[in-house]
Amino acid sequence: MTAIRFYWGVYDAVSAAAVHRAGGEGLWLSGLCCSAVQGLPDTELAGLGDLLACLRTVRRATDLPLWVDCGTGFGSPSNLAVAADDLRQAGASGVCFEDKVFPKRNTFAPVHHVLEEVERFCDKIGHARRQLEGSGCRVIARTEALAVEEPLDAALERARAYADAGADLLVLSHPAPSMERVREFLAAWEGRLPVVLLPTSYRLDEIGRAHV
């Protein structure tokens, strides 16, 4: 049976301190929440400076492992490499970026979502991998393939390419009440990389059966 760990979403020093005092294992610095506390939509209007300021505030409250959601990575592979290094120096334990075209829209937004070409996204992973090599900061690749209703085979093809490109973990986004497609993915994935799930919309009884 695969171990399940929970990283709790935070967005400021108060929320981070609350998780720390409650015995949380780790933190997820949400791009959505960092944007929302500034009164901005989750469309990457908040820049790297805003995210760094939020990260530093959280780091004043806790030393728990902290993964940072940086949307699509601020555009180009080179932009992502610079951002990843800055976030690491500010205290990130992992940098997460997703395979949507910049500027992204929130997964739940009722708009047409466009994914990056696999080769270009792998280039981003490679840039981040080289920038963070030896630092202990994780490269976390997020795929929205299931979220945009790509076939399971296409999602697996993307995920395998991201693993080959050097990702340490895979975030599988799937905003639906049922985890049926997630379980199908995990069964075919065979544990090649640890998989991170975002349980934003899953039923509680589904979460307990997520591991295979």
Side-chain angles (χ1 to χ4, degrees), residues 151-202:
L152 179 62
D153 286 348
L156 286 164
E157 181 181 350
R158 280 183 174 273
R160 289 168 181 145
Y162 301 168
D164 289 342
D168 294 308
L169 300 100
L170 177 74
V171 173
L172 186 62
S173 176
H174 180 243
S178 171
M179 297 182 67
E180 180 179 353
R181 293 199 75 204
V182 167
R183 286 195 292 272
E184 290 174 353
F185 179 96
L186 294 175
W189 180 240
E190 298 179 340
R192 183 168 178 183
L193 287 180
V195 175
V196 180
L197 302 179
L198 307 174
T200 311
S201 58
Y202 300 143

Side-chain angles (χ1 to χ4, degrees), residues 5-10 25-31 34 51 55 58-59 64-70 87 91-97 136-140 168-171 194-198:
R5 297 191 176 191
F6 291 92
Y7 275 44
W8 299 90
V10 298
E25 296 178 86
L27 307 173
W28 169 267
L29 186 59
S30 162
C34 284
L51 190 57
L55 170 57
V58 168
R59 267 293 173 237
L64 285 173
L66 173 57
W67 295 346
V68 179
D69 169 18
C70 61
L87 291 165
S93 307
V95 176
C96 178
F97 46 98
C137 186
R138 302 292 190 90
V139 176
I140 307 170
D168 294 308
L169 300 100
L170 177 74
V171 173
V195 175
V196 180
L197 302 179
L198 307 174

